[in-house]
Amino acid sequence: MPDDGNNPIPDWQRQDLPPMLSRRFEFENYPQTRRFLDGVAKLAEEAQHYPNLSFGKTYVSVTLDADGKKLTPDIIALAQKIDALVAKAG
Amino acid sequence: MPDDGNNPIPDWQRQDLPPMLSRRFEFENYPQTRRFLDGVAKLAEEAQHYPNLSFGKTYVSVTLDADGKKLTPDIIALAQKIDALVAKAG
């Protein structure tokens, strides 16, 4: 876990123009990938904030953007909840 | 629907190196997008062929690849079934 004072959340790549957070998750098999995707969908619906997701059989890339505005605590909280899905699965 | 003798399936972009088919689908709202994604997941599981998907709140981009080999009739059939999901929804 890199120590990066500018990054509000470890393990995620932060981009500033436009502001977004992204992280790629790798899985061992499709059922794991699917379970993670379903979890992300549930969190997105609860937060009413929809990430952009790219995925294949054993990976998911999650990008959370802020509509060109600042990354809010809500967006960072969503990223933390997504991380927690993997912690639970692992 | 363009008449393209080289393309085994209309509406999809075909790429040859490596062989793949892709199509972007747009939706009016997230529930429609979600329903489509669930349908694609079910078809992928049945076909045991996993597309690469990118999606956000109201769009899904589907890419079917052939592991660097030729596009098989099975892959084209999967694309047709994915098209049929939208025809049903519309």
Side-chain angles (χ1 to χ4, degrees):
Chain A
M1 204 176 283
D3 185 301
D4 176 354
N6 287 321
N7 194 336
I9 177 161
D11 297 326
W12 291 67
Q13 302 295 317
R14 180 185 176 157
Q15 185 194 296
D16 281 321
L17 294 170
M20 56 176 74
L21 286 174
S22 57
R23 184 175 174 190
R24 183 181 167 104
F25 298 86
E26 307 264 356
F27 300 94
E28 279 170 32
N29 51 49
Y30 176 72
Q32 279 185 9
T33 304
R34 185 75 209 276
R35 213 172 305 132
F36 176 76
L37 284 167
D38 286 343
V40 172
K42 200 167 160 228
L43 291 172
E45 284 164 44
E46 284 167 7
Q48 288 288 303
H49 187 91
Y50 297 89
N52 287 284
L53 295 172
S54 293
F55 70 96
K57 191 175 179 183
T58 57
Y59 77 91
V60 180
S61 290
V62 182
T63 302
L64 297 169
D65 67 33
D67 287 330
K69 302 190 198 93
K70 219 167 147 294
L71 288 171
T72 60
D74 282 358
I75 294 172
I76 293 159
L78 179 55
Q80 286 167 335
K81 286 179 192 166
I82 291 170
D83 280 344
L85 290 176
V86 179
K88 253 187 277 177
Chain B
M1 205 175 282
D3 184 300
D4 177 353
N6 287 320
N7 193 335
I9 178 160
D11 298 326
W12 291 67
Q13 302 294 317
R14 182 186 174 155
Q15 186 195 293
D16 282 320
L17 294 170
M20 55 176 73
L21 286 174
S22 57
R23 184 175 173 190
R24 182 182 168 103
F25 298 86
E26 307 263 357
F27 300 94
E28 279 170 31
N29 50 51
Y30 177 71
Q32 279 186 9
T33 304
R34 185 76 209 274
R35 211 172 305 132
F36 176 77
L37 284 166
D38 287 343
V40 172
K42 199 167 161 230
L43 291 172
E45 284 163 44
E46 284 167 8
Q48 288 286 305
H49 186 91
Y50 297 89
N52 287 285
L53 296 172
S54 293
F55 69 96
K57 191 175 178 184
T58 58
Y59 76 91
V60 180
S61 290
V62 182
T63 302
L64 297 169
D65 67 34
D67 286 330
K69 302 190 199 92
K70 218 167 148 293
L71 287 170
T72 60
D74 282 358
I75 294 173
I76 293 160
L78 178 55
Q80 285 166 336
K81 286 179 191 165
I82 291 170
D83 281 343
L85 290 176
V86 178
K88 254 187 277 177

